[in-house]
């Protein structure tokens, strides 16, 4: 192991190992087997000796190399690390922050001050898969895209699809109750998750990891952890119901002149496509401009004020194509759309989806981005974008609206050259007040995290928040689990 390190690193590693062995010997301990108490005790002694942050990081690296073969090859030992860590931190009142793929947009998975970061990256194993029921049991650190590949080889697919699928962890998806592009077809995670396992703040393990479709015995405790954003415990494993992989997929991109036409297209989609409709997304002209300008993607349609992306998926290609063609004919004859294109081969399907999925990437290249993830009655979706655009005027580079028509989820993004308090004060609390006034939610699928914690009252009553605070106090009386996030402190 040490031969792979640079000479300077090798010297640091040898020195750290020698100090660790010496400390263990002085306490009548053996360096092996690994235990958190020995590791944390060693690092704590360095902290008390006022070692620099760089030195402490070097010690962590050295000890990681020393123990990695003993830890990384034993899934059951990996799980025990979370138990030991939680127990150790709870006993000493040390705050912890669970972290998955770290794709949160609201600061939910990053330390605020000096919390200990607990990553689920090593918990990346599939435990079992039932190819009759479609029940997948896996550890929380599995990457969403990897799970989809695993299932695809077996004729199944994940019921969840996100733009960040290449890096987000399934445990983090549960912790934030992520929505995504397939919610219209397969529903939310609250319906598809069958069971889960979680390590509680005191180190005890909540085992609700079953794969039953029906279990009406007592409270459904798994629902407490779905959407809890790591504030009640660390999700370590889960069971999720996976649908069969569709054998026929079609995607249509349609252009519309007004948002009222977008809504008419959506209504027609549901009427004509029914059971094969798997996604219905919308983008405004600003969204399309962003991906064209910054990513050089090609828009196959003439310029339009709005674009609707419709996906169908089923088991019979001929049947699906017939239904899609009837829908398109009616949409054109009714004057709902001005232009359109259909993709049936994988290459073109991916290129059309890229226009929608890569908007976030393009926005980041335009400047600083103020991001809002909102849900509201679908007929109100774009009114907020228009009012925001009029409100900020030339102080913003762009005001972009896109999202999921199928579940009334708007992604409102405002770009600027840099962050300014002036622009922020024009946006907040205006966006939250507008959303609350129209009976919406200030977080549709991204969660509240650190950034939006104190805005929860725009969407939840004080009575509801009080019950959440009581649940938090009951499960985490010392308040160590992901503090400063999601739930504001009790008055």
């Amino acid at each position: 192991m040490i031969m792979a390190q640079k000479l300077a690193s090798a010297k640091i590693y040898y020195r750290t190992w020698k100090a660790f062995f010496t400390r263990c010997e002085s306490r009548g301990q053996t360096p092996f087997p690994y235990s958190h108490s020995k590791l944390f005790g060693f690092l704590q002694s360095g902290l008390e000796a006022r070692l620099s942050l760089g030195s402490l990081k070097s010690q962590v690296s050295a000890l990681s190399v020393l123990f990695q073969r003993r830890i990384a090859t034993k899934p059951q030992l990996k799980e025990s690390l979370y138990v030991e860590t939680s127990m150790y931190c709870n006993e000493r009142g040390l705050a912890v922050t669970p972290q998955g793929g770290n794709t949160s947009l609201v600061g939910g998975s990053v330390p605020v001050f000096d919390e200990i970061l607990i990553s689920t990256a090593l918990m990346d194993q599939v435990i079992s898969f039932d190819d009759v029921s479609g029940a997948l049991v896996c550890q929380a650190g599995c990457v969403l895209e990897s799970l989809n590949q695993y299932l695809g080889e077996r004729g199944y697919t994940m019921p969840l699809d996100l733009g960040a699928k290449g890096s987000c962890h399934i445990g983090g998806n549960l912790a934030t109750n992520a929505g995504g592009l397939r919610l219209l077809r397969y529903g939310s995670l609250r319906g598809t998750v069958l069971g889960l396992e979680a390590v509680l703040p005191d180190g005890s393990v909540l085992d609700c990891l079953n794969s039953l479709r029906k279990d009406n015995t007592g409270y459904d405790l798994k629902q407490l952890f779905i959407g809890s954003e790591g504030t009640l415990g660390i999700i370590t494993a889960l069971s999720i119901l996976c649908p069969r992989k569709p054998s026929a997929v079609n995607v249509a991109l349609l252009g519309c002149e007004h948002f009222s036409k977008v809504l008419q297209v959506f209504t027609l989609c549901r009427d004509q496509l029914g059971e094969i409709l798997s996604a219905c997304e919308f983008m405004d002209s600003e969204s399309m401009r962003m991906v064209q300008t910054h990513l050089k993607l090609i828009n196959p349609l003439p310029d339009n004020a709005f674009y609707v992306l419709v996906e169908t998926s089923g088991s019979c290609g001929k049947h699906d194509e017939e239904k899609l063609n009837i829908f398109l004919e009616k949409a054109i004859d009714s004057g709902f759309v001005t232009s359109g294109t259909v993709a049936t081969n994988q290459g073109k399907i991916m290129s059309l989806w890229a226009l929608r999925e890569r908007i976030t990437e393009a926005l980041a290249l335009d400047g600083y981005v103020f991001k809002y993830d909102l849900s509201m009655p679908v007929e109100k979706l774009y009114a907020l974008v228009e009012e925001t655009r009029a409100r900020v005027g030339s102080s913003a580079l762009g005001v972009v609206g896109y999202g999921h028509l199928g579940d009334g989820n708007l992604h409102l993004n405002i770009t600027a050259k840099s962050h300014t308090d002036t622009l922020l004060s024009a946006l907040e609390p205006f966006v939250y007040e507008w959303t609350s006034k129209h009976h919406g939610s200030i977080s549709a699928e991204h969660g509240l995290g650190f950034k939006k914690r104190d805005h929860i009252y725009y969407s939840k009553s004080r009575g509801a928040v009080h019950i959440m605070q009581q649940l938090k106090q009951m499960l985490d009386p010392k308040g160590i689990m992901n503090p400063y996030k999601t739930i504001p402190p009790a008055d």
Side-chain angles (χ1 to χ4, degrees), residues 35 61 96 111 115 127 131 136 139 155 170-171 189 192 282 288 370 376 405 439 441 449 451 454 462 468 479 486 491:
S35 82
S61 297
V96 300
E115 301 93 280
I127 298 172
D131 59 5
L136 171 73
Q139 294 180 319
I170 187 63
L189 287 172
T192 55
F282 88 94
M288 186 64 76
F370 296 86
M376 61 194 70
L405 276 175
H439 311 291
S441 170
K451 293 182 178 180
D454 295 331
R462 292 196 173 274
M468 295 179 198
T486 309
D491 296 333

Side-chain angles (χ1 to χ4, degrees), residues 104-106 175-178 227 229 373 442-453 486:
S104 171
L105 295 174
V106 290
T176 57
N177 189 26
E229 300 186 60
D373 160 51
I442 64 166
S443 177
E445 60 183 5
H446 293 167
L448 295 169
F450 176 70
K451 293 182 178 180
K452 297 184 178 180
R453 180 196 71 173
T486 309

Side-chain angles (χ1 to χ4, degrees), residues 369-413:
V369 188
F370 296 86
K371 294 177 176 289
Y372 299 94
D373 160 51
L374 313 160
S375 63
M376 61 194 70
V378 66
E379 68 272 11
K380 300 290 185 181
L381 278 182
Y382 206 71
L384 176 57
V385 182
E386 292 173 330
E387 290 193 32
T388 301
R389 188 173 288 142
R391 182 178 178 85
V392 300
S394 59
S395 62
L397 292 176
V399 177
V400 176
Y402 64 97
H404 317 296
L405 276 175
D407 48 50
N409 186 180
L410 169 69
H411 295 301
L412 171 64
N413 293 261

Side-chain angles (χ1 to χ4, degrees), residues 320-391:
D320 294 357
E321 285 182 24
E322 288 177 354
K323 295 195 75 168
L324 182 60
N325 287 334
I326 292 172
F327 156 72
L328 292 173
E329 287 176 8
K330 290 191 175 183
I332 293 171
D333 292 345
S334 301
F336 299 161
V337 302
T338 59
S339 57
T341 184
V342 176
T344 56
N345 67 74
Q346 189 62 21
K348 190 175 179 182
I349 287 174
M350 291 178 65
S351 67
L352 291 184
W353 264 116
L355 294 170
R356 164 62 182 85
E357 288 188 302
R358 297 185 67 185
I359 295 173
T360 299
E361 181 184 347
L363 286 166
L365 298 173
D366 199 56
Y368 183 87
V369 188
F370 296 86
K371 294 177 176 289
Y372 299 94
D373 160 51
L374 313 160
S375 63
M376 61 194 70
V378 66
E379 68 272 11
K380 300 290 185 181
L381 278 182
Y382 206 71
L384 176 57
V385 182
E386 292 173 330
E387 290 193 32
T388 301
R389 188 173 288 142
R391 182 178 178 85

Side-chain angles (χ1 to χ4, degrees), residues 14-26:
Y14 276 127
R15 190 162 59 245
T16 300
W17 294 351
K18 183 178 179 180
F20 179 72
F21 292 154
T22 300
R23 188 177 192 278
C24 289
E25 184 179 339
S26 69

Side-chain angles (χ1 to χ4, degrees), residues 258-314:
H258 306 288
F259 190 71
S260 60
K261 302 295 184 183
V262 171
L263 296 177
Q264 290 173 316
V265 168
F266 176 50
T267 300
L268 189 64
C269 275
R270 291 184 298 173
D271 290 345
Q272 298 296 318
L273 300 177
E275 78 286 353
I276 66 170
L277 179 62
S278 53
C280 189
E281 305 285 306
F282 88 94
M283 306 168 279
D284 63 8
S285 58
E286 276 291 285
S287 303
M288 186 64 76
R289 183 183 68 81
M290 290 287 179
V291 295
Q292 288 180 289
T293 301
H294 297 295
L295 303 179
K296 308 305 179 186
L297 300 186
I298 298 174
N299 176 10
L301 304 182
D303 290 341
N304 286 273
F306 295 94
Y307 301 87
V308 179
L309 188 148
V310 177
E311 181 187 78
T312 65
S313 54

Side-chain angles (χ1 to χ4, degrees), residues 104-145:
S104 171
L105 295 174
V106 290
S109 58
V110 293
V112 178
F113 296 110
D114 56 356
E115 301 93 280
I116 292 173
L117 191 66
I118 301 181
S119 171
T120 59
L122 289 178
M123 300 281 286
D124 60 354
Q125 302 297 306
V126 171
I127 298 172
S128 66
F129 177 65
D130 186 332
D131 59 5
V132 176
S133 68
L136 171 73
V137 182
C138 66
Q139 294 180 319
C142 292
V143 174
L144 179 58
E145 189 170 46

